[in-house]
Amino acid sequence: MNDSRKRIITAIAWCLAWGDKQQLDADELSQLHQMRQAISMGQDEPAQLKSFVEQARRLYEIPETYFPQTLQKLHKDYLDLWQDQTPIGLVYGGATKIKQYIFEAAKLPDIRGASALLDRINLVDLPAFFGEGTKSISIERWLDENQFADLRKALIPELIIYSTGGSILAFCPAAFVHKLANAIEKRYTYETLTANSCAVGDTFRLLELRFGLLQNPIEKTLWLEEYLKKQENPIIQAYFDQPDVTDPEEKFRDRKNFSELVGKLANLFTQRRNGNDLSGVQRPSRCYPPMFETHPYIQRDESDRRSGVASAKGLPREPWFSDALARKHIVGQRTKREGSQGQGWYNSSDFGLQSGEIKKLWKSGKVLSWVFKFEKFLKKSGNANDYYQDVPQHEITEEARSLREIGNASNPPGFVAYIYADGNNMGGYIRKQIKTPQQYREFSKDIFDATELSVYKALEDLRPHQLKNLTEPDNENRNGRWIHPFEIITIGGDDVLLIVPADKALAVAKTIGEEFEKLLLEKGDHYQLETLVDKPYNPKLVHRYQKQLPESNQCKLSMSTGLLITAENTPIYYAEKLTTQLLKSAKKRAKDLKRDYNYYGGTVDFLVMKAVTMISSNIEEFRTQGLTKAKTGQPKLKLYASPYTLHELGGLLETVKALKKAEFPRSQLYQVRSLLERGKNTAILNYRYFRVRLKQGQSDLQQKFEESWTKALTNDGYLAPWMPDRDCFYNNLKLLLFFETFPQELFKLQYLVLRFLRKPTYSTIWREMVDLYPFIAEEKDDDQKGNNSTQTAERRVGA
């Protein structure tokens, strides 16, 4: 029996044995812990509780393929589970409006602190309610002080199904469902003061954990036979319908499992989050979110949202902080392991909770940064020596404290990149594959581990950077210090938000996407996509970069990424807004490729913004109105090619390197870009004129740009710098072939259909190559690589 199975059986048996009681006496509680230990060690359980363990095991012995056609068969096969009416609690909760809380501050240290504080609550505090991890005296004291002391006895670590990705799903004894939900919400408010959170719970019977929601009595439940008769009912159809599934029995089976319980909690979560009180539940109302009044004649804090409490004496410029902002800032400092001298402002100022005559200073507790976890990963993987090879042995590598320090590591300096990645196909995978609490637990762990490790593997290639030429007063003479040149704002479940130097951003995004899929495939064949006979995946049709096409085996899950390269002084809230738009565009591209070509891989959409005034509205409108040319009687021209698949992104990087190696004059690069708007033929003619005049690298440029990107679809020619739109071409071709089957008498109808064909569309990567040109290092030849490797080896031997 694996660990996840033991934990879930322990959790179910614990809830069954506890029942709906408010409390147990000492002997009963002792027996419960003996039962818990016996299950863990594979020993005999106490005789009084053995029946509860057998019920839990009986539930898990139901074969995965078992699904009764009628309720009568279920009653006959599992009468003991049918008759068990003991309620089992299930609680779901977490933070809401996370971006609003994190990005309301304008400076990186405050954003870092807000994210770290939410991560600590979700990954440390809430599991500590159940006794998970090292014993926390502060959590136990907090539960006692806030009238949640009985939760400490009723909760055990095995009850947690998952607690990653900003939310928690856990079993609990039926009598404590709403008390635990209240404790979760109160913990977020107590620690952050202003962050929004929500938690809900409900009770279910044992058989519902396997077969979804059941009526009381069970005989009244709508089951398969009745569903097949009523499946045309709009309400029933909306409840059971799934995309890509046509078999009605399969739709019903996919719905009636543990996921249906989670779906009910998600609906309750949405109702409560929107401020509605749940019927039949006596809980504090959530219709008034945390807020602090302001006054026109009281000085505001730096976010300009709340009244300032005091100035932070000891910090540069002595900024005014409210209590909420002060907590973010001090957590941000402690996350970055700044010295105690720089944190003295918090202890000496008037930040705290007023309780009668005593002022109690809020304490952040132990906060671990993502950089600290990254350093542990380097040691564990054995790659620390390679990563720190340029750092002198007596130097300490610190965390970057500002965007200027991250931008200082870029080439050219002064530019940073925001990377926002999110998982694809998660909902569909959960709906089809995840049907038990054990599978939820294992899936959550797999996704979180793959996401975290993929980020660490991508950041390995950045290498520490020594700060140079920093002149701003806030930098505290940090020139000469060695830093990790990145900022991990958050890693939560299947989403990632990073800030990295601009010149390494595309490589980092590509590695994250590739490693995420690779790590999941290593965890088991259940993540590998089966080959479909009726709709096979053909890499040649999906990828516009036709060189070294990837293998056809795919992971069922992937990541889409939005990436913004911009100046270091771009407001963070504005950069985050644009990065979110790019992520949505990348996910739309992934969805279209999956629908049309059965492509399940990752996509990346990026934008290089060298001035804040470059985009006045949103990115989609900017591209549609400013970068798309459609004149009467001429093909439609798109002066951009984003979003890209991961394979295409790798090809784009190789093409830019080939362009630099050929020493394509910068003035001619810009001239070809300006001529793109003049039309297809004008741009082709001028590109060929400039290319044939190159003194070196012509063949490499032909191979990596023209032959790989710009081959015509109807002949063996090349259209550089243009690429034909494959989707448009194949859709028109299918329509024409369809109408060729009509008799000649309907020739007029064939003629009319030509009016509905889409105009030929051409796109180009040239504009994006020009934007990336300053940020991509020229590829070194073999001789240079050999010399550098020899020098590195000699330096290691000397050390």
Side-chain angles (χ1 to χ4, degrees):
M1 186 185 299
N2 62 35
D3 181 64
S4 292
R5 186 180 176 90
K6 282 183 180 179
R7 288 179 65 103
I8 299 299
I9 288 177
T10 303
I12 295 174
W14 179 278
C15 293
L16 289 174
W18 193 290
D20 55 0
K21 300 175 184 177
Q22 289 287 346
Q23 60 182 2
L24 301 180
D25 58 37
D27 291 339
E28 292 173 325
L29 195 59
S30 176
Q31 288 183 1
L32 276 177
H33 284 287
Q34 291 176 24
M35 177 195 72
R36 174 191 170 201
Q37 185 176 4
I39 296 174
S40 176
M41 303 295 292
Q43 301 171 351
D44 292 335
E45 302 83 12
Q48 300 91 328
L49 304 178
K50 197 173 186 65
S51 61
F52 301 115
V53 181
E54 290 177 351
Q55 285 288 79
R57 286 178 177 154
R58 173 79 164 145
L59 180 72
Y60 258 80
E61 287 172 358
I62 300 176
E64 288 188 13
T65 57
Y66 174 83
F67 195 89
Q69 296 293 311
T70 63
L71 290 173
Q72 289 77 12
K73 181 170 177 54
L74 179 61
H75 179 271
K76 178 181 177 182
D77 294 343
Y78 295 97
L79 178 61
D80 51 343
L81 301 182
W82 181 288
Q83 294 175 340
D84 195 323
Q85 300 294 315
T86 307
I88 298 175
L90 198 61
V91 173
Y92 172 72
T96 65
K97 299 183 179 179
I98 296 175
K99 288 184 183 179
Q100 174 182 305
Y101 172 73
I102 291 178
F103 291 103
E104 74 172 10
K107 295 185 177 180
L108 183 60
D110 304 330
I111 292 173
R112 176 194 305 137
S115 177
L117 187 52
L118 290 182
D119 285 337
R120 194 211 72 196
I121 296 171
N122 186 243
L123 299 175
V124 179
D125 292 6
L126 299 188
F129 286 2
F130 297 80
E132 181 85 12
T134 58
K135 186 176 182 179
S136 175
I137 302 298
S138 61
I139 292 295
E140 293 181 356
R141 185 185 302 116
W142 184 85
L143 290 172
D144 293 343
E145 293 174 351
N146 289 273
Q147 300 180 351
F148 298 122
D150 46 356
L151 289 178
R152 292 171 49 195
K153 297 180 180 179
L155 303 180
I156 56 174
E158 288 84 353
L159 295 173
I160 300 175
I161 299 175
Y162 67 76
S163 61
T164 57
S167 59
I168 185 171
L169 177 67
F171 291 110
C172 81
F176 299 94
V177 166
H178 301 309
K179 179 169 281 192
L180 176 57
N182 291 338
I184 292 172
E185 291 183 358
K186 189 166 186 176
R187 185 63 182 175
Y188 277 101
T189 304
Y190 182 87
E191 292 295 298
T192 66
L193 298 179
T194 57
N196 286 270
S197 63
C198 182
V200 295
D202 204 348
T203 59
F204 305 96
R205 286 163 290 173
L206 187 60
L207 209 57
E208 290 181 299
L209 301 182
R210 178 63 174 78
F211 296 105
L213 296 173
L214 302 172
Q215 297 292 329
N216 191 12
I218 298 178
E219 292 84 351
K220 292 184 178 180
T221 304
L222 183 144
W223 205 249
L224 184 57
E225 184 178 358
E226 187 179 358
Y227 163 72
L228 293 176
K229 296 178 181 178
K230 299 180 178 180
Q231 60 179 310
E232 299 301 327
N233 184 299
I235 297 178
I236 294 178
Q237 189 175 13
Y239 187 76
F240 288 96
D241 203 18
Q242 298 178 38
D244 305 328
V245 178
T246 57
D247 183 13
E249 292 191 19
E250 185 179 355
K251 292 179 182 180
F252 188 81
R253 288 194 302 268
D254 289 344
R255 185 66 170 170
K256 299 301 292 184
N257 51 59
F258 181 75
S259 293
E260 190 175 22
L261 311 188
V262 179
K264 179 181 180 181
L265 292 182
N267 289 333
L268 294 176
F269 182 91
T270 302
Q271 293 178 38
R272 183 165 174 80
R273 182 187 61 189
N274 292 341
N276 300 312
D277 294 331
L278 304 179
S279 60
V281 178
Q282 296 296 324
R283 291 186 58 193
S285 175
R286 197 191 165 279
C287 62
Y288 306 106
M291 61 179 297
F292 290 83
E293 294 183 359
T294 57
H295 193 277
Y297 301 109
I298 296 179
Q299 184 164 351
R300 303 285 185 93
D301 64 7
E302 286 224 311
S303 68
D304 203 35
R305 291 175 179 268
R306 283 170 285 276
S307 300
V309 175
S311 63
K313 297 178 180 178
L315 290 181
R317 302 175 184 174
E318 297 187 352
W320 276 76
F321 288 151
S322 61
D323 279 327
L325 187 57
R327 293 185 181 189
K328 294 180 182 180
H329 196 86
I330 191 64
V331 171
Q333 286 186 308
R334 291 174 180 172
T335 300
K336 288 304 180 184
R337 293 175 281 182
E338 295 185 20
S340 57
Q341 183 178 359
Q343 302 176 27
W345 63 271
Y346 185 70
N347 296 323
S348 61
S349 298
D350 296 327
F351 302 107
L353 300 175
Q354 194 73 40
S355 177
E357 299 296 328
I358 303 174
K359 191 142 190 176
K360 182 180 178 183
L361 191 66
W362 177 83
K363 296 181 180 180
S364 66
K366 187 177 181 180
V367 183
L368 297 179
S369 70
W370 290 110
V371 174
F372 177 78
K373 297 177 183 178
F374 171 69
E375 292 172 342
K376 288 181 64 178
F377 161 79
L378 290 175
K379 294 178 181 178
K380 186 176 181 180
S381 64
N383 297 329
N385 290 335
D386 290 339
Y387 180 78
Y388 293 109
Q389 62 181 345
D390 296 330
V391 183
Q393 291 185 355
H394 64 278
E395 293 286 351
I396 298 176
T397 305
E398 306 175 8
E399 291 89 339
R401 294 189 181 179
S402 66
L403 291 177
R404 288 188 178 89
E405 293 188 359
I406 298 175
N408 189 256
S410 177
N411 185 20
F415 290 90
V416 298
Y418 295 80
I419 299 176
Y420 188 9
D422 189 42
N424 295 325
N425 313 319
M426 294 293 171
Y429 184 87
I430 291 174
R431 186 167 53 247
K432 292 289 294 180
Q433 305 292 336
I434 309 302
K435 299 179 179 180
T436 66
Q438 178 183 340
Q439 291 174 340
Y440 262 92
R441 176 177 174 78
E442 293 172 349
F443 175 72
S444 175
K445 187 177 187 305
D446 286 348
I447 295 299
F448 185 78
D449 290 347
T451 304
E452 187 175 7
L453 287 178
S454 65
V455 172
Y456 294 159
K457 286 178 177 289
L459 296 176
E460 276 184 311
D461 296 331
L462 293 186
R463 305 298 169 86
H465 169 74
Q466 187 176 27
L467 296 174
K468 300 174 183 177
N469 304 320
L470 292 175
T471 58
E472 289 77 8
D474 292 354
N475 286 311
E476 303 172 4
N477 298 321
R478 285 174 54 81
N479 285 317
R481 304 280 187 93
W482 289 86
I483 64 165
H484 297 284
F486 58 83
E487 178 70 35
I488 303 176
I489 293 180
T490 184
I491 300 177
D494 64 333
D495 62 332
V496 175
L497 187 56
L498 310 173
I499 304 176
V500 299
D503 60 332
K504 299 293 194 302
L506 291 178
V508 169
K510 180 175 180 290
T511 303
I512 290 175
E514 291 175 340
E515 288 294 333
F516 178 78
E517 297 178 37
K518 179 182 176 183
L519 290 167
L520 284 181
L521 289 174
E522 291 175 355
K523 291 181 179 295
D525 293 339
H526 54 285
Y527 287 114
Q528 184 166 339
L529 183 69
E530 302 86 1
T531 302
L532 300 180
V533 178
D534 59 335
K535 193 178 181 182
Y537 161 63
N538 187 348
K540 191 172 183 179
L541 297 179
V542 173
H543 306 291
R544 294 167 291 182
Y545 183 68
Q546 295 289 297
K547 185 181 178 183
Q548 297 177 346
L549 290 169
E551 298 178 358
S552 57
N553 60 319
Q554 298 188 87
C555 181
K556 293 179 181 178
L557 304 173
S558 62
M559 272 196 169
S560 286
T561 305
L563 190 154
L564 178 71
I565 295 176
T566 185
E568 62 188 19
N569 58 358
T570 301
I572 295 179
Y573 71 90
Y574 181 61
E576 184 274 331
K577 179 181 177 182
L578 294 180
T579 309
T580 301
Q581 294 177 26
L582 291 168
L583 174 62
K584 291 180 180 178
S585 173
K587 291 182 79 68
K588 182 179 183 301
R589 176 64 174 165
K591 186 176 180 181
D592 292 343
L593 290 175
K594 176 187 172 185
R595 179 196 63 216
D596 297 335
Y597 302 104
N598 202 39
Y599 172 71
Y600 278 71
T603 54
V604 177
D605 194 357
F606 72 90
L607 179 72
V608 179
M609 186 179 69
K610 296 184 178 179
V612 177
T613 56
M614 177 176 164
I615 297 176
S616 58
S617 54
N618 59 63
I619 292 174
E620 183 180 3
E621 186 176 340
F622 167 70
R623 287 173 172 170
T624 302
Q625 297 183 2
L627 299 180
T628 304
K629 308 298 176 183
K631 297 182 180 180
T632 305
Q634 295 185 11
K636 182 179 180 181
L637 302 179
K638 294 167 60 177
L639 310 186
Y640 64 97
S642 285
Y644 295 85
T645 65
L646 296 178
H647 174 68
E648 291 172 347
L649 187 63
L652 180 66
L653 294 174
E654 292 299 318
T655 306
V656 177
K657 291 176 183 176
L659 201 63
K660 298 197 78 166
K661 189 175 181 180
E663 296 184 358
F664 209 105
R666 190 76 67 94
S667 61
Q668 294 176 11
L669 285 174
Y670 295 135
Q671 189 169 348
V672 173
R673 183 179 67 177
S674 65
L675 291 170
L676 294 174
E677 300 183 11
R678 301 275 187 94
K680 173 187 166 189
N681 295 334
T682 302
I684 292 176
L685 179 63
N686 280 272
Y687 164 75
R688 291 189 176 276
Y689 172 74
F690 291 132
R691 196 259 290 163
V692 297
R693 297 183 64 189
L694 292 174
K695 297 180 180 179
Q696 64 180 32
Q698 280 201 50
S699 60
D700 195 33
L701 189 59
Q702 279 183 281
Q703 182 184 13
K704 293 185 177 179
F705 177 45
E706 298 175 21
E707 296 176 9
S708 300
W709 290 95
T710 67
K711 190 177 186 306
L713 297 177
T714 56
N715 55 62
D716 294 331
Y718 300 102
L719 304 174
W722 297 103
M723 298 182 298
D725 189 322
R726 295 173 181 273
D727 295 341
C728 175
F729 174 79
Y730 287 123
N731 288 335
N732 287 347
L733 184 62
K734 289 177 184 177
L735 194 57
L736 288 173
L737 291 175
F738 171 72
F739 274 93
E740 279 187 2
T741 62
F742 280 60
Q744 291 293 327
E745 291 78 9
L746 297 179
F747 177 78
K748 290 184 178 180
L749 181 61
Q750 296 182 35
Y751 174 76
L752 289 174
V753 77
L754 295 176
R755 300 182 59 185
F756 295 95
L757 295 178
R758 291 171 56 190
K759 285 184 179 180
T761 303
Y762 297 89
S763 58
T764 177
I765 66 171
W766 192 266
R767 186 182 187 90
E768 283 147 355
M769 286 200 301
V770 173
D771 289 339
L772 292 175
Y773 194 87
F775 300 103
I776 305 299
E778 181 180 340
E779 192 173 33
K780 299 178 181 178
D781 56 31
D782 294 337
D783 293 336
Q784 289 175 307
K785 291 179 180 178
N787 292 336
N788 289 344
S789 299
T790 302
Q791 293 172 2
T792 302
E794 291 174 351
R795 184 166 61 247
R796 289 180 183 173
V797 172

